[in-house]
Amino acid sequence: MNAKVKVEKLDVLMILLSTIQFPIVPNKVFVIYRYFIVVLELVRYKKEILKNKKLVMILSGYTVVLAYSTIINTYSITWVISALMQGMQYIVFFCVFSRFTKKHGSCEIVNLLISILGVLLLFTDSLMLVIPYNFFDADEFYWVGNKFLVSYYHCLLACLLYIKYNNSIKRIYSFVAMCYTIFVAACIHCTTGIIIAIVIVALMCAPKKLKLILQKPVVFISALTIENVLIWGTTSIFQTPIVVNLVTNIFHKSADMTGRARLYAVTLELVEKSPWWGYGHNTDVYRDLFGYGNAQNGLFHIVTQAGIVGAILYFCAVYVGIKKAKDDHTLRSYGLYMYIYGMLVGSAIEINLSTAFLLGVAVIYALNLNYQRRQMTAKK
């Protein structure tokens, strides 16, 4: 392995580590590291930024809107910088992954991500055997983050394994990994993680025609819209007897969705008061009202932070990120489509359509872009 390849692999590792704050790392140290890596990679990958103009422009627009919303609501330069860095970090995801995939191929990026996540999660799970964690505590912090991040990264790893062993009998490894994910999520009492994993297992078993349909970005955006119409419409899906029975008797949660009903009730009022620009990055509007909480919904978390304008830009970027070439009828990256659909279902009750979700979108983008380049080269 030459030095250049090692550096490019290190770029992928560093950008992944910029999303995970280990419990032994002080918050200020992590923030400095994260900001440094984002700026460093933006400088190093400036040519890649120019090659992905459409996606970068959309994400830049979202970043500007988020920063603007933050300054008009908080008047805090610190929070504005944090908002800018988050948006730029998203841009870095796409540029780093797409360039690595272009130079070294789809298999290499998938294998590298599997190796990194595999080591991190193996260590995380091993610590659960020796450290007396309080698995009933929703605020418990594990090696890679809270119970939600532990579950999401396990799901992402299993979906990457699905891609690695595509069209192979070894794809069973992905199924086993997802069953293990359900087990881990159950141990740490993460209902959202269990739901996401079950959805992904179901999507593994989908017929080929459905799999091809699910890879269309318009289908994903439609599913996002329908899901939230059902949640926020006049007849909330969470109020139906079937869902109430599922929540109380299967998942053993309170009928008000562990306090979510109260938060949902005020979310639409907040959106009505500031529909276009929202309340800023990591808004305190819920904490000011209740002393805790957030929108507890993926889409409306983005709306309450960056408004309708920011949400439109954000999901336009997602649309571009998962769009395939017209002549691409393969299922090479379907494993990660399973991941984003699982996260979509989970977003009904959690704010999970941000970093962990966008990592999956960025890898899809890199894999699809690499396929398009190869097809163009073959035609020449």
Side-chain angles (χ1 to χ4, degrees):
M1 184 188 300
N2 60 47
K4 194 170 183 180
V5 175
K6 287 182 179 179
V7 170
E8 289 169 347
K9 286 189 173 184
L10 188 60
D11 286 335
V12 175
L13 173 62
M14 289 191 302
I15 198 61
L16 269 180
L17 292 181
S18 73
T19 68
I20 302 171
Q21 183 176 356
F22 301 125
I24 61 172
V25 179
N27 185 62
K28 286 186 178 179
V29 174
F30 174 71
V31 170
I32 292 171
Y33 167 78
R34 177 168 167 258
Y35 289 3
F36 173 76
I37 293 301
V38 169
V39 173
L40 174 66
E41 301 300 355
L42 281 173
V43 173
R44 281 176 45 76
Y45 286 79
K46 54 183 180 293
K47 290 183 179 179
E48 203 65 30
I49 290 173
L50 296 174
K51 292 177 183 177
N52 297 278
K53 289 181 181 178
K54 182 189 287 188
L55 185 63
V56 170
M57 286 179 65
I58 296 171
L59 281 174
S60 296
Y62 165 74
T63 303
V64 170
V65 170
L66 184 62
Y68 172 72
S69 174
T70 303
I71 193 65
I72 63 175
N73 283 285
T74 68
Y75 305 102
S76 169
I77 297 300
T78 301
W79 282 114
V80 171
I81 293 172
S82 180
L84 289 170
M85 285 298 173
Q86 177 174 288
M88 289 190 288
Q89 184 181 47
Y90 292 163
I91 292 171
V92 168
F93 289 165
F94 288 91
C95 292
V96 171
F97 292 161
S98 62
R99 180 167 143 182
F100 185 92
T101 307
K102 176 184 177 181
K103 289 195 170 185
H104 306 291
S106 299
C107 291
E108 281 299 311
I109 187 67
V110 170
N111 288 334
L112 179 58
L113 291 172
I114 288 173
S115 298
I116 295 171
L117 287 173
V119 170
L120 287 173
L121 293 174
L122 178 62
F123 187 67
T124 299
D125 297 350
S126 298
L127 288 179
M128 293 181 190
L129 300 175
V130 296
I131 295 178
Y133 290 119
N134 182 0
F135 296 130
F136 294 94
D137 184 2
D139 295 322
E140 185 65 83
F141 204 81
Y142 305 94
W143 185 248
V144 296
N146 59 26
K147 65 179 184 178
F148 299 106
L149 288 174
V150 172
S151 300
Y152 302 158
Y153 286 131
H154 273 88
C155 287
L156 179 56
L157 175 60
C159 290
L160 287 167
L161 286 170
Y162 185 94
I163 292 176
K164 177 180 174 66
Y165 297 112
N166 190 26
N167 297 324
S168 165
I169 191 67
K170 291 183 179 179
R171 190 184 289 175
I172 190 68
Y173 293 163
S174 176
F175 176 77
V176 172
M178 199 57 70
C179 291
Y180 175 70
T181 297
I182 295 173
F183 171 74
V184 171
C187 288
I188 60 180
H189 295 270
C190 184
T191 304
T192 306
I194 295 172
I195 292 171
I196 292 172
I198 290 174
V199 169
I200 292 173
V201 169
L203 292 176
M204 285 181 181
C205 305
K208 183 176 180 179
K209 286 186 178 179
L210 179 58
K211 290 178 179 178
L212 290 170
I213 291 172
L214 290 175
Q215 290 184 134
K216 296 181 179 180
V218 67
V219 175
F220 179 84
I221 298 300
S222 298
L224 174 71
T225 304
I226 293 169
E227 176 184 81
N228 282 278
V229 167
L230 290 172
I231 294 170
W232 302 98
T234 53
T235 306
S236 172
I237 192 172
F238 293 134
Q239 296 172 359
T240 59
I242 293 176
V243 175
V244 170
N245 179 64
L246 183 68
V247 169
T248 55
N249 296 324
I250 303 299
F251 292 115
H252 303 292
K253 302 291 184 180
S254 59
D256 71 342
M257 301 286 291
T258 318
R260 284 178 173 84
R262 187 183 180 199
L263 294 169
Y264 289 158
V266 78
T267 294
L268 287 179
E269 294 179 16
L270 290 172
V271 173
E272 287 175 5
K273 290 178 181 177
S274 183
W276 299 112
W277 308 110
Y279 296 87
H281 176 56
N282 283 346
T283 176
D284 285 325
V285 65
Y286 288 95
R287 289 184 285 276
D288 291 341
L289 289 171
F290 301 116
Y292 70 93
N294 49 58
Q296 291 296 310
N297 174 277
L299 172 61
F300 273 77
H301 177 62
I302 295 170
V303 172
T304 53
Q305 290 197 98
I308 294 173
V309 175
I312 290 173
L313 287 168
Y314 186 85
F315 286 104
C316 279
V318 172
Y319 183 96
V320 173
I322 63 176
K323 186 178 181 182
K324 303 179 71 176
K326 290 182 179 179
D327 60 343
D328 185 357
H329 304 297
T330 67
L331 293 171
R332 295 164 300 96
S333 50
Y334 176 71
L336 284 167
Y337 284 91
M338 297 190 308
Y339 174 71
I340 65 171
Y341 274 100
M343 293 290 275
L344 171 62
V345 173
S347 74
I349 55 175
E350 273 305 333
I351 54 170
N352 66 340
L353 296 183
S354 52
T355 303
F357 167 78
L358 218 58
L359 278 172
V361 174
V363 181
I364 290 175
Y365 178 76
L367 296 179
N368 289 344
L369 202 60
N370 188 55
Y371 177 81
Q372 291 176 36
R373 292 192 191 104
R374 289 198 347 248
Q375 291 299 101
M376 290 175 65
T377 302
K379 287 178 181 179
K380 291 179 182 178

